[in-house]
Amino acid sequence: AQSVSQHNHHVILSEAASLELGCNYSYGGTVNLFWYVQYPGQHLQLLLKYFSGDPLVKGIKGFEAEFIKSKFSFNLRKPSVQWSDTAEYFCAVTTFSGGYNKLIFGAGTRLAVHP
Amino acid sequence: GAVVSQHPSRVICKSGTSVKIECRSLDFQATTMFWYRQFPKKSLMLMATSNEGSKATYEQGVEKDKFLINHASLTLSTLTVTSAHPEDSSFYICSARRPGTGNGADEQFFGPGTRLTVL
């Protein structure tokens, strides 16, 4: 079965620090990859997505992610975090099987940024 | 981005009663909607896939008679939690799939969620 692993469950950073959140998936076929963010009290929002093409994907709010097929990874990065980046981040994968796509989420990483 | 709404945002009910949650795609037609359950400090678990005009597809371990799903139109799916019990208390989130360019490049847009508390 497909699965998504997020290595860091809880990350604490100071403002201006660099961020990298790990995400690995297990599926040998074609995948679409996503990073979602959930700010406190708000609903899930899409940060960025990879469908095909350039494996380095740029998203909103200065986030980017790199798809490395050989490593089954899609790590999220931001060079300099802000206090407003405090949120929970979910990596997700869609797989094409059974006639439709479904999103499989990782367990999430809770990021706390201190001023 | 596309907008998906859920109603109600919060509901408290007594044990044994049924609760209906609506999910609407406001600015696009969604042939497929999804229902998730999110436990505190945990990820989203897919409960079922709701297809317009046909029966929902439930994930393993999800009781279809307890969580009734109806996708009556291209913009509305409902989840009814029947005979709710305290263990059904959770955050229920729907999403709607907006079709992409035909190469599988579609994405889901999420509703704000419904907090269900069963007393």
Side-chain angles (χ1 to χ4, degrees):
Chain A
Q2 301 89 0
S3 66
V4 178
S5 299
Q6 290 184 241
H7 315 301
N8 318 99
H9 296 295
H10 202 166
V11 173
I12 301 172
L13 294 173
S14 298
E15 275 194 318
S18 65
L19 170 72
E20 179 157 4
L21 301 181
C23 173
N24 285 88
Y25 65 93
S26 65
Y27 183 67
T30 304
V31 293
N32 290 344
L33 298 153
F34 304 81
W35 275 97
Y36 287 89
V37 61
Q38 189 173 29
Y39 297 104
Q42 297 189 26
H43 62 95
L44 249 67
Q45 300 173 42
L46 182 66
L47 264 184
L48 48 79
K49 61 190 177 189
Y50 172 79
F51 288 159
S52 63
D54 188 345
L56 184 61
V57 179
K58 295 197 182 296
I60 61 171
K61 304 186 181 186
F63 286 90
E64 65 177 31
E66 185 174 13
F67 170 52
I68 303 179
K69 190 174 181 180
S70 61
K71 295 184 178 180
F72 297 89
S73 70
F74 190 56
N75 292 355
L76 180 71
R77 298 193 292 250
K78 185 170 184 178
S80 176
V81 294
Q82 301 172 308
W83 176 79
S84 58
D85 293 323
T86 295
E88 187 143 22
Y89 293 81
F90 295 96
C91 181
V93 170
T94 55
T95 59
F96 310 109
S97 64
Y100 62 90
N101 309 325
K102 56 181 183 180
L103 268 175
I104 299 170
F105 283 87
T109 297
R110 192 172 292 271
L111 172 66
V113 180
H114 296 301
Chain B
V3 178
V4 175
S5 70
Q6 272 183 251
H7 178 81
S9 58
R10 194 178 291 266
V11 58
I12 300 172
C13 68
K14 292 182 179 179
S15 187
T17 60
S18 295
V19 173
K20 181 186 282 189
I21 304 169
E22 292 185 349
C23 177
R24 293 181 185 273
S25 57
L26 299 184
D27 51 1
F28 67 98
Q29 292 184 330
T31 54
T32 305
M33 292 183 172
F34 301 87
W35 287 96
Y36 296 86
R37 185 170 176 176
Q38 187 177 28
F39 293 95
K41 298 184 180 180
K42 296 210 170 177
S43 186
L44 282 76
M45 300 296 294
L46 178 65
M47 297 174 65
T49 301
S50 171
N51 296 296
E52 189 268 336
S54 64
K55 291 183 179 179
T57 304
Y58 290 81
E59 295 299 301
Q60 194 172 10
V62 178
E63 297 176 61
K64 61 181 180 182
D65 294 330
K66 181 164 189 61
F67 298 100
L68 300 179
I69 291 172
N70 187 318
H71 196 147
S73 75
L74 288 171
T75 58
L76 173 64
S77 176
T78 60
L79 169 69
T80 302
V81 183
T82 62
S83 186
H85 289 282
E87 57 265 30
D88 299 324
S89 297
S90 193
F91 197 56
Y92 292 88
I93 302 173
C94 75
S95 71
R97 183 167 70 92
R98 185 175 70 180
T101 59
N103 62 354
D106 52 358
E107 64 180 270
Q108 295 180 29
F109 295 88
F110 288 81
T114 297
R115 170 91 44 207
L116 170 63
T117 303
V118 185
L119 302 176

